[in-house]
Amino acid sequence: MDNTAVKDKALRARVKLLGNLLGDILREQAGTRVFNAVEQLRQGYIRLHKREDSRLRLRLARFIDTLPQDDLVLVIRAFNTYFSLANIAEEEFQHIQRRRFLQKGEGRWPGSFEHTLRELQDQGVHPGQLQFLLDQLRYIPVFTAHPTEAKRRTVLHGLRRIFLTSKALDDPNLGDEEEREVIARLKAQIQVLWETEEVRANRPQVQDEVENGLFYFRDSLFEAVPHTYRAARRDARKVFANTDIEIPAFIRFGSWIGGDRDGNPNVTAAITGWALRTQSIEVLREYQRRLGELYQLLGHSSRFCHISPTLLASLERDADDFPELAEWVDQRFPSEPYRRKLRYMLTRLDLRLRQLENGQTINDSLGPAYRDAQEFLADLQLVRESLRGHNDLYIADTELQDLIWLTETFGFYLAKLDIRQESTVHTQTVAELFAGVAGFEDYLRLGEEARLLVLADALRRPGPMAGTPDLSPLAAETCAMFRCIAQLRREVSPDGFGNYVISMTHEASHVLEVMLLAKEFGLAGWSREGLYSEIAITPLFETIHDLERMETVMSTLLDNPIYGEILRSQGDTQEVMLGYSDSCKDGGILASSWSLYQAQLRLAALAEKRRIHIRIFHGRGGSVGRGGGPTYEAILAQPPDTVRGQIKVTEQGEVLSFKYANLETAVYELTVGAAGLMKASIGLVRPVPADQPDHLSIMTELADTGEQVYRALTEGTPGFMDYFYEATPLNEIAHMNIGSRPSHRSRSDRSMSSIRAIPWVFAWAQSRHVLPAWYGLGSALQQWRGEDPQRLQKLREMYRHWPFFRALLGNIAMAMAKADMAIAEEYAGLAHDHTQAMEIFQIIRAEFQRSLYEILAVADAEQLLEDNPTLAFSLQRRNVYMEPLNHIQLALLRRYRNEDAAPEYREIWLDPLLRSINAIAAGQRNTG
């Protein structure tokens, strides 16, 4: 690759500086022997990447075999730390590049607000249509705990400090002495990182995962959110030359952390209650902090500015609520009405916090606390409008507006907590809870139609029906969860919960079962307006089979009169979640991607026919094999006119730190997400052309072939699952303390159905197969186009003009660039049945070569990622450093799995082995 095509001289210089500082620290802290070992491996594998040398490769392998356990730990840590520093340098470089666009007056990098708004303007969108479009937007990232962030929170704080110090070196006004001081500080912080344990001593509890999630709000998002809104306002008014355009708070956050019960027995009703209260306390403390800053800022005297009569009238009401406080504030601030108002607001907020901390229900007996975010928001708006009235526009539209935006975004709950549980749990709970109710005596034996009739009849009856039957622990805990939801809606906020997600939704009855449980515990029932529900239910369709049956299930559900009435009480809005991970594990990347695309088209048709709105919740992971990829391109790759202003998407595990650990990157990610949503939603104001029919039929053929080839490998190849378990570090991954959720549904079951999608993808990535992200592509493309040059031209046309196809092949190319078949072959050598394993590997390698050839032909390129040289160079640099780690991991796997060795001998290799898994994940920037 010609690196001159990559204008990243500054990036390479920064990576070199950080690497040299790390080398100095390594020499000083770990000693010359370890430093020399790292250098020997680093330089040796760099030489091998330039030119193959079998003798050098053998020497390096033997050298690894001679390294003692203590040295191996330090060598692995050195490479892991290097990856962390390289990640910082790249993140900082990308931020600088975007700033340079703005400084040159070219604020039009793809995915920026200005770039997107100018495109909308070029398509004929006028200011009124833009305002309508903005008012419909809802960009909803949902934080999940799986795969849990592999980095400890302590390490994340250390990396943030290094990022900020490294950033200081970019100041053009820095003198030589100042630069030396910054570099010295940078070295000290890297040394602290080196001396910090990066591996957790214990598996995290759910409470730890909640705290990890709060880290991103505290350290970046509370600043990033208003920054994003300000940028949108600035660019909208600039592009459309209209100062009347207003930016609504179009971002909302969701969370599964503390609410995702599917397969995780550690998430109990008590934990869920703690999680929601903790979230609420966190956001209220942020509001307190910002009110305190405003209290210091707004020292305006009524002698010198005209305070709005509405604000003055509110002060009289405040004084009635707080007579003792009124006497004090009147004496302290007789002519400073804003400070009086803010003191009352702080007091109301403090009372609300104390209620939360004491687990008290919101009611009048607990004093004049803010009952909800709307009351707080009303007071903020009073202050803002009064400031505008005497022309303090800057403060009104910055500090005050920022807090208003935050309140509209986060409410009094921070993030809407979704609850998720697997469908069979509800079926069993209904069968046990209502066993004594007429019609339910033999519920588990009923067919689907009979269940729907029984459930509908029960939903028509007023009030609870169940007595107090003896319940199994699982059913009892499920009932406790519904009681918890009802209680927390009273104690924290009626808006604190998001949706109730049902995983493995196979039938319409699975949704009505949850609705019946909600009714039993006071969350649904009858009012004067009819049947209602305080919780919204989201069916989740995950496997290829489920996606194919989704239209039938949803039609049955939406045509059910009882459910239709409930949906009307919820604004005729139905959320449907599509699972990327399980569908890809089930049928391969092509079948999964195409099934999900077609599912969205079918849902859009269902919504139009029934005149309802369907919001799609995308269950994407970080890696390509789990639906990952660049956010902007992913949103634009959705079917035309299906997004319609709202998109909800999971942000999982390591994605959280890559996107949100640093303020600068968090602003970028929120910007490209919102801008992509804006552009994809143009159908709300302008006609949108449909996909070309021939593109759809070609993709159907490609997906069918890809699925057949994928299933032939995973289901039709003898010994394949043994190969997977033995030629990857899957079993060892289970020892990592990176999540509270088990990696298997059943530990003793080696079937595809037992292994979860996350470790499935993670293990293939570690062994450099990266198989789920590309397998089947080559055969599909080759079979469809054959030797016909016109068919090749048709595929190239699809690649150039169809966002879905371009994004799909782009993501696959990125994943293939992380694969290495030579290293994968060495992992294949770990299998017990060597002959069988090599036969399987030859199938995999042949398909990889076929896929590589075909993707380059369609992209009309000579190498992967030719159109993204910066990313290509980044992966190339990482791959050089990952190769020694893979060879170290291979040596450690052989030692740890050596059944002839004494158990105590094998056990000493587990710690460095787990560290190698962490380090390779850092190099690849994903854990699944």
Side-chain angles (χ1 to χ4, degrees):
M1 173 180 174
D2 181 10
N3 290 337
T4 60
V6 184
K7 298 177 181 179
D8 65 350
K9 183 179 178 181
L11 170 60
R12 282 179 275 143
R14 186 57 50 85
V15 171
K16 183 177 180 180
L17 169 65
L18 295 173
N20 287 341
L21 291 176
L22 176 61
D24 292 343
I25 291 164
L26 197 58
R27 223 180 344 245
E28 295 164 9
Q29 298 296 313
T32 305
R33 186 179 74 249
V34 171
F35 173 80
N36 289 340
V38 171
E39 283 299 292
Q40 184 172 338
L41 292 170
R42 186 180 71 86
Q43 294 177 10
Y45 282 103
I46 288 174
R47 285 171 57 192
L48 287 175
H49 268 257
K50 292 177 179 176
R51 184 172 61 87
E52 181 57 37
D53 181 339
S54 58
R55 293 172 65 186
L56 174 59
R57 188 172 291 281
L58 182 60
R59 282 203 307 273
L60 290 172
R62 286 175 175 168
F63 176 66
I64 289 171
D65 281 336
T66 66
L67 289 173
Q69 192 257 12
D70 289 346
D71 285 6
L72 271 174
V73 167
L74 296 174
V75 168
I76 293 165
R77 294 191 73 235
F79 282 109
N80 194 2
T81 306
Y82 168 81
F83 287 134
S84 294
L85 297 176
N87 291 345
I88 286 172
E90 289 180 2
E91 192 173 345
E92 182 192 348
F93 175 74
Q94 290 159 1
H95 175 61
I96 291 169
Q97 293 296 92
R98 292 190 291 270
R99 285 189 62 82
R100 284 177 180 160
F101 267 108
L102 293 172
Q103 289 165 357
K104 292 177 182 177
E106 304 172 356
R108 298 185 63 178
W109 42 270
S112 67
F113 283 125
E114 183 174 347
H115 182 271
T116 301
L117 289 163
R118 290 200 185 280
E119 287 187 323
L120 294 179
Q121 189 181 53
D122 291 344
Q123 293 179 57
V125 174
H126 59 69
Q129 289 176 318
L130 175 65
Q131 187 66 66
F132 176 80
L133 178 57
L134 290 169
D135 291 342
Q136 310 308 307
L137 293 187
R138 277 292 181 274
Y139 180 59
I140 312 171
V142 178
F143 289 8
T144 78
H146 66 283
T148 310
E149 169 56 60
K151 297 186 189 76
R152 296 177 61 217
R153 199 158 62 247
T154 302
V155 172
L156 290 172
H157 281 296
L159 293 173
R160 173 65 178 163
R161 288 191 294 269
I162 293 169
F163 177 91
L164 292 173
T165 306
S166 177
K167 186 179 170 185
L169 289 172
D170 300 316
D171 183 351
N173 300 315
L174 212 60
D176 291 345
E177 187 60 38
E178 292 171 312
E179 183 178 284
R180 284 192 288 272
E181 171 60 29
V182 173
I183 290 173
R185 191 163 73 247
L186 188 58
K187 181 183 176 184
Q189 288 167 348
I190 295 172
Q191 182 168 324
V192 170
L193 181 67
W194 171 256
E195 293 168 337
T196 300
E197 177 60 82
E198 77 275 22
V199 176
R200 292 187 178 95
N202 300 294
R203 183 174 292 275
Q205 303 298 307
V206 182
Q207 293 94 324
D208 300 318
E209 293 173 337
V210 171
E211 290 291 346
N212 287 343
L214 294 178
F215 164 85
Y216 301 106
F217 292 97
R218 199 179 298 132
D219 273 40
S220 71
L221 287 170
F222 286 145
E223 293 295 335
V225 166
H227 190 119
T228 303
Y229 291 139
R230 286 200 304 271
R233 182 177 62 186
R234 179 196 66 221
D235 291 345
R237 292 178 175 180
K238 171 185 170 184
V239 170
F240 285 85
N242 188 319
T243 57
D244 292 331
I245 294 174
E246 294 292 340
I247 300 299
F250 50 70
I251 301 169
R252 296 290 186 275
F253 288 89
S255 176
W256 280 15
I257 311 175
D260 185 6
R261 303 160 64 81
D262 180 17
N264 193 346
N266 301 304
V267 181
T268 62
I271 288 292
T272 298
W274 177 87
L276 192 59
R277 288 189 190 94
T278 302
Q279 285 184 186
S280 184
I281 289 167
E282 185 70 38
V283 74
L284 293 183
R285 285 176 178 164
E286 175 64 16
Y287 297 160
Q288 273 189 327
R289 185 186 70 79
R290 286 177 179 260
L291 279 182
E293 291 176 353
L294 287 169
Y295 181 80
Q296 297 299 320
L297 178 66
L298 301 183
H300 299 60
S301 171
S302 54
R303 295 175 58 195
F304 306 122
C305 56
H306 178 71
I307 308 301
S308 78
T310 311
L311 179 69
L312 293 174
S314 79
L315 285 172
E316 293 180 12
R317 293 192 297 273
D318 291 334
D320 290 340
D321 285 339
F322 299 99
E324 293 182 8
L325 179 62
E327 185 177 345
W328 180 84
V329 297
D330 288 346
Q331 290 177 355
R332 183 77 183 271
F333 308 114
S335 63
E336 297 174 78
Y338 290 126
R339 282 190 168 163
R340 296 209 304 276
K341 182 64 182 177
L342 290 166
R343 172 54 62 187
Y344 288 128
M345 292 174 70
L346 280 164
T347 303
R348 292 185 192 276
L349 210 54
D350 184 60
L351 281 173
R352 184 75 186 88
L353 260 170
R354 275 191 263 165
Q355 288 175 3
L356 271 172
E357 290 167 347
N358 296 332
Q360 295 169 299
T361 301
I362 307 165
N363 57 51
D364 294 332
S365 66
L366 294 170
Y370 284 121
R371 296 169 62 88
D372 54 40
Q374 290 306 311
E375 290 186 357
F376 180 56
L377 194 58
D379 275 348
L380 290 172
Q381 290 166 339
L382 276 180
V383 177
R384 181 189 62 186
E385 296 312 307
S386 182
L387 286 168
R388 285 176 174 173
H390 51 75
N391 213 32
D392 267 304
L393 299 179
Y394 183 82
I395 295 173
D397 292 335
T398 53
E399 282 92 341
L400 244 300
Q401 184 59 51
D402 284 356
L403 185 47
I404 288 170
W405 273 327
L406 283 174
T407 306
E408 291 171 334
T409 299
F410 297 115
F412 272 13
Y413 51 82
L414 185 67
K416 286 182 178 288
L417 186 62
D418 283 347
I419 304 298
R420 183 172 77 138
Q421 183 56 282
E422 200 260 331
S423 59
T424 59
V425 173
H426 308 124
T427 303
Q428 184 63 41
T429 302
V430 165
E432 292 185 34
L433 187 62
F434 300 103
V437 178
F440 287 88
E441 300 92 344
D442 213 9
Y443 183 75
L444 294 178
R445 296 192 181 190
L446 296 180
E448 174 64 9
E449 287 189 17
R451 286 187 184 185
L452 288 173
L453 289 172
V454 168
L455 291 166
D457 179 63
L459 284 166
R460 287 191 187 95
R461 302 182 203 174
M465 300 185 307
T468 54
D470 290 331
L471 299 176
S472 65
L474 183 62
E477 176 56 34
T478 303
C479 293
M481 185 70 253
F482 283 90
R483 291 191 193 94
C484 173
I485 295 171
Q487 179 184 350
L488 290 171
R489 282 175 54 81
R490 296 189 298 270
E491 287 185 12
V492 178
S493 168
D495 302 318
F497 285 99
N499 283 38
Y500 196 110
V501 181
I502 307 171
S503 53
M504 293 297 172
T505 302
H506 304 309
E507 304 289 353
S509 63
H510 290 159
V511 176
L512 294 188
E513 286 167 352
V514 172
M515 194 57 68
L516 181 58
L517 291 171
K519 173 178 167 287
E520 186 66 20
F521 295 99
L523 292 164
W526 290 89
S527 68
R528 290 180 180 176
E529 289 76 28
L531 194 57
Y532 74 94
S533 174
E534 293 174 347
I535 63 171
I537 298 174
T538 301
L540 166 55
F541 300 95
E542 300 171 85
T543 66
I544 299 291
H545 178 68
D546 286 344
L547 290 168
E548 290 170 348
R549 288 199 68 249
M550 179 201 68
E551 187 174 10
T552 300
V553 173
M554 289 306 302
S555 295
T556 302
L557 179 65
L558 296 172
D559 291 342
N560 183 285
I562 288 288
Y563 190 74
E565 191 168 349
I566 291 169
L567 204 60
R568 282 191 292 278
S569 77
Q570 298 174 339
D572 279 325
T573 298
Q574 174 66 56
E575 183 176 279
V576 177
M577 185 171 183
L578 304 178
Y580 287 62
S581 306
D582 280 286
S583 60
C584 186
K585 176 174 79 79
D586 182 35
I589 187 70
L590 290 180
S592 169
S593 301
W594 189 234
S595 294
L596 290 160
Y597 194 89
Q598 291 179 305
Q600 292 178 72
L601 290 171
R602 291 195 295 270
L603 286 171
L606 280 175
E608 186 174 357
K609 180 180 178 181
R610 289 164 176 78
R611 296 184 178 180
I612 64 171
H613 178 71
I614 291 182
R615 178 175 65 207
I616 298 173
F617 183 3
H618 299 263
R620 302 170 71 226
S623 59
V624 173
R626 298 189 53 243
T631 304
Y632 186 70
E633 289 81 356
I635 294 175
L636 296 183
Q638 304 308 308
D641 205 23
T642 58
V643 177
R644 304 196 66 77
Q646 296 196 18
I647 197 165
K648 186 174 175 182
V649 59
T650 52
E651 301 280 37
Q652 303 193 8
E654 77 290 336
V655 170
L656 295 181
S657 66
F658 296 154
K659 286 187 174 184
Y660 303 118
N662 289 314
L663 167 64
E664 298 79 0
T665 306
V667 171
Y668 167 77
E669 290 294 341
L670 293 175
T671 298
V672 295
L677 176 59
M678 203 182 298
K679 186 175 177 180
S681 301
I682 192 173
L684 291 170
V685 295
R686 306 283 294 177
V688 177
D691 287 326
Q692 294 186 32
D694 60 335
H695 290 181
L696 300 176
S697 61
I698 292 168
M699 193 61 222
T700 298
E701 290 185 52
L702 294 175
D704 287 345
T705 305
E707 182 175 5
Q708 290 169 18
V709 172
Y710 180 84
R711 289 189 186 277
L713 175 71
T714 60
E715 298 174 10
T717 302
F720 176 76
M721 286 308 292
D722 289 333
Y723 179 92
F724 169 57
Y725 275 80
E726 295 164 15
T728 74
L730 175 72
N731 286 322
E732 290 74 20
I733 288 169
H735 290 284
M736 293 185 71
N737 292 321
I738 63 169
S740 64
R741 196 173 187 231
S743 63
H744 283 65
R745 291 178 173 89
S746 173
R747 173 67 62 185
S748 60
D749 186 355
R750 270 198 177 191
S751 68
M752 281 280 283
S753 59
S754 176
I755 182 71
R756 295 190 185 278
I758 296 161
W760 168 261
V761 172
F762 191 8
W764 285 120
Q766 286 280 312
S767 64
R768 305 298 292 280
H769 291 74
V770 202
L771 183 142
W774 57 265
Y775 196 89
L777 175 71
S779 293
L781 291 173
Q782 183 186 73
Q783 184 171 317
W784 188 83
R785 74 180 182 94
E787 300 298 323
D788 187 342
Q790 290 186 330
R791 287 200 161 200
L792 176 58
Q793 287 307 313
K794 172 56 72 174
L795 290 171
R796 286 177 173 175
E797 176 202 314
M798 289 168 61
Y799 180 73
R800 286 192 298 269
H801 300 298
W802 189 15
F804 165 77
F805 195 61
R806 186 176 186 87
L808 174 63
L809 294 196
N811 286 336
I812 291 175
M814 180 174 62
M816 291 182 71
K818 295 181 180 182
D820 188 313
M821 287 299 110
I823 295 174
E825 184 173 10
E826 295 199 43
Y827 278 87
L830 296 172
H832 296 312
D833 189 334
H834 184 75
T835 302
Q836 186 181 63
M838 285 302 113
E839 290 173 357
I840 293 171
F841 174 74
Q842 294 305 329
I843 296 171
I844 293 171
R845 180 162 58 184
E847 180 63 19
F848 182 85
Q849 294 301 327
R850 195 159 33 243
S851 298
L852 179 61
Y853 179 81
E854 293 295 329
I855 201 171
L856 292 177
V858 173
D860 198 13
E862 294 183 3
Q863 55 193 356
L864 292 173
L865 302 175
E866 196 172 274
D867 60 346
N868 192 344
T870 302
L871 176 59
F873 181 53
S874 169
L875 292 177
Q876 182 188 66
R877 179 173 57 237
R878 290 166 187 278
N879 287 343
V880 171
Y881 285 84
M882 274 200 294
E883 186 165 353
L885 280 172
N886 278 117
H887 286 284
I888 289 171
Q889 187 179 92
L890 282 159
L892 291 168
L893 284 167
R894 292 187 190 100
R895 296 174 199 179
Y896 182 67
R897 293 179 179 181
N898 183 1
E899 295 178 359
D900 295 329
E904 58 272 18
Y905 170 83
R906 294 170 58 193
E907 200 61 30
I908 66 170
W909 302 112
L910 180 60
D911 177 66
L913 176 53
L914 299 183
R915 291 178 190 274
S916 75
I917 293 171
N918 246 334
I920 291 171
Q924 294 178 323
R925 299 201 77 168
N926 66 263
T927 57

